Amino acid sequence: MPTYRVAILGCRARGTAAARAYHAHPKCEVVGLCDLVPDLLNALGDELGVTARYDDLDSMMLEQNPDIVAIPTGTEFHYDLSMRILEYGVHIDVEKPMCATLEQADEVLRLSQQKGVRIAVHHQGRTGAAMNAVAAAVQSGKIGDIRHMNASGKGYYGGYGLMNIGTHAVNAMLRITGPCRSVTSLALTDGRTVTPDDVIPSAGGMGTVLGERITATLAFDSGVTATLLQQRFPVVDATAYGFEVCGTEGRLIWKTSGAWWLRTPHFLPDGKNDQWEPLPITQPVGYDADSGVSPEEYNYVEEYVNALDAGREHECSGVQGLHVMEILMAVLESSAHGVRIDLPQKIRTHPLEQWRKESGLGSPREMPREYRSWLAAEDARLGRS
Ligand SMILES: NC(=O)c1ccc[n+]([C@@H]2O[C@H](COP(=O)([O-])OP(=O)(O)OC[C@H]3O[C@@H](n4cnc5c(N)ncnc54)[C@H](O)[C@@H]3O)[C@@H](O)[C@H]2O)c1
């Protein structure tokens, strides 16, 4: 018998992925769908056989009484929608990044704690089978002690890539290293150090960003350091995304598609131990590879079910989601001011909006929301077209 009644608020690409995963899990039942676009609502409802369809979230909440509400909407809506759903005293599963500012994420977390409900922030890579394989390899001592980690994005414009992809990479690294204590970052736009004029609204409604190419150094409480690269490539290349864990006795690579192990700490083409070996990947019991559901999505739902059953937090909890936001904001703040930012930062307002204010500038001008048009507008600002 399903234990958790799940409602989906937003039925486009990410809502569809989430709905399929909850629908496939034996302990969940998708009881309601909500979207402002009837075609999306009907396509997903017809696919999953869900007849309770709404364009008003309050009606859905009152009539369906869900236990979990997934919020797979544009990032600029995460705060308002999370707050509205949490008021009903219901667990949420909000897409990444958790919010657009730290102030917002603080409030969302506070309200969930007041209401005694859980938050999962949808960084599905952290609970995927590839990540489980890396974590198990680290724990079993396959690479000795960790020295350093390197993470790369997909080649989007740096500030946008940070909020969009960096959020996944940072969250995944937190599983390996534990909390981060400081961030130092350098951002270049058009090959020069950024200025307050380079502060712009992000594509995709992901807040305020800067930097075409960002190189950040993260220092963790464990003493490990990491390099986080979010650099614009001439062409976006999703295969660049992932991270490497460098240990005293070997190395590991994590990608969403798998995990690999090198038996030596420093690659040497000596013909003996110079091959990257795939780590065994184990999908969760009950996952059906023919179901059309992504295994990472299924794992993520499985983790929420297990966490709620046990009365504990999801691996990608609100606390973790907030800490990811602290790191992302620290990358932006350090890029602006050229100084190390110690965490958790006391000032929770957006550091770049503050920087513009201090520089006597108003809000940045509006930019298109869609990434390609956004990039074209930024290139035009930089005099490239
Ligand atoms: N986890 C991942 O791998 C991953 C990948 C891509 C995007 N994302 C994240 O997913 C989010 C965007 O997802 P998307 O591209 O499916 O979203 P989208 O913004 O394209 O679509 C969201 C849907 O929600 C609906 N919606 C918005 N507000 C609503 C409201 N108040 N009531 C009812 N319906 C409402 C819209 O009509 C729309 O159909 C972003 O936060 C992004 O960062 C995550």
Side-chain angles (χ1 to χ4, degrees):
M1 282 290 285
T3 311
Y4 299 106
R5 295 171 62 77
V6 182
I8 310 290
L9 173 52
C11 298
R12 221 177 67 91
R14 296 302 304 150
T16 299
R20 285 178 180 155
Y22 282 108
H23 180 71
H25 198 284
K27 291 190 89 171
C28 297
E29 181 185 6
V30 178
V31 294
L33 305 175
C34 182
D35 203 296
L36 306 171
V37 182
D39 285 354
L40 293 172
L41 197 54
N42 290 329
L44 189 57
D46 291 351
E47 177 186 327
L48 303 184
V50 178
T51 53
R53 304 172 190 179
Y54 301 86
D55 61 6
D56 170 47
L57 76 87
D58 293 302
S59 306
M60 177 171 76
M61 297 304 291
L62 292 170
E63 288 175 25
Q64 297 306 323
N65 195 23
D67 302 297
I68 303 171
V69 176
I71 310 177
T73 63
T75 303
E76 66 268 59
F77 307 117
H78 291 178
Y79 168 71
D80 280 343
L81 296 177
S82 297
M83 295 297 279
R84 282 178 68 185
I85 300 293
L86 288 170
E87 280 296 345
Y88 286 94
V90 165
H91 308 299
I92 62 169
D93 166 5
V94 61
E95 260 300 346
K96 59 76 195 167
M98 185 172 169
C99 289
T101 69
L102 272 180
E103 271 176 316
Q104 294 177 344
D106 285 340
E107 273 190 58
V108 168
L109 187 62
R110 223 176 356 251
L111 185 56
S112 76
Q113 288 165 347
Q114 240 175 49
K115 296 281 179 182
V117 291
R118 311 272 178 197
I119 299 176
V121 183
H122 212 109
H123 292 105
Q124 71 278 13
R126 178 163 173 165
T127 50
M131 189 65 199
N132 291 341
V134 168
V138 168
Q139 257 166 17
S140 67
K142 264 183 158 34
I143 60 166
D145 296 329
I146 300 176
R147 283 176 168 155
H148 188 71
M149 315 221 308
N150 293 305
S152 170
K154 297 182 179 179
Y156 289 116
Y157 187 102
Y160 167 72
L162 178 75
M163 297 303 289
N164 189 4
I165 306 300
T167 183
H168 277 300
V170 165
N171 200 353
M173 288 197 291
L174 289 178
R175 177 162 172 196
I176 301 298
T177 57
C180 177
R181 66 170 181 237
S182 70
V183 174
T184 313
S185 180
L186 174 73
L188 303 179
T189 291
D190 210 20
R192 51 161 177 76
T193 305
V194 288
T195 72
D197 279 328
D198 297 313
V199 172
I200 43 179
S202 172
M206 295 188 186
T208 305
V209 297
L210 92 177
E212 192 167 26
R213 290 194 290 126
I214 296 177
T215 305
T217 302
L218 279 48
F220 297 88
D221 284 351
S222 55
V224 168
T225 55
T227 302
L228 178 70
L229 297 176
Q230 294 294 324
Q231 312 235 340
R232 181 182 177 184
F233 299 163
V235 178
V236 170
D237 181 358
T239 64
Y241 170 51
F243 68 79
E244 185 176 8
V245 190
C246 307
T248 50
E249 291 166 34
R251 290 184 180 214
L252 294 163
I253 283 183
W254 170 81
K255 285 181 175 290
T256 52
S257 55
W260 292 266
W261 173 37
L262 185 72
R263 287 171 186 260
T264 61
H266 309 294
F267 177 81
L268 265 182
D270 62 2
K272 286 185 285 189
N273 294 313
D274 56 358
Q275 298 298 310
W276 284 96
E277 300 169 36
L279 292 174
I281 301 292
T282 313
Q283 299 301 351
V285 176
Y287 172 68
D288 173 5
D290 298 325
S291 63
V293 175
S294 134
E296 276 195 341
E297 296 293 341
Y298 189 90
N299 256 312
Y300 175 88
V301 166
E302 166 93 350
E303 165 66 6
Y304 214 178
V305 165
N306 290 340
L308 293 175
D309 281 355
R312 64 166 172 83
E313 295 287 355
H314 193 291
E315 176 77 32
C316 305
S317 66
V319 169
Q320 293 292 300
L322 174 68
H323 190 41
V324 171
M325 290 283 306
E326 287 173 337
I327 295 167
L328 304 184
M329 291 300 131
V331 170
L332 297 174
E333 186 174 357
S334 177
S335 298
H337 299 291
V339 294
R340 189 188 73 216
I341 306 299
D342 293 325
L343 301 181
Q345 53 272 71
K346 287 194 185 69
I347 298 170
R348 314 294 281 184
T349 48
H350 200 294
L352 299 183
E353 287 159 18
Q354 187 65 26
W355 195 34
R356 276 188 69 101
K357 246 188 236 157
E358 286 163 7
S359 312
L361 299 173
S363 299
R365 72 201 169 104
E366 292 206 352
M367 293 275 281
R369 190 178 186 283
E370 188 271 324
Y371 181 61
R372 275 171 197 262
S373 321
W374 182 90
L375 206 53
E378 174 62 351
D379 280 338
R381 181 184 78 87
L382 297 170
R384 293 173 179 160
S385 50

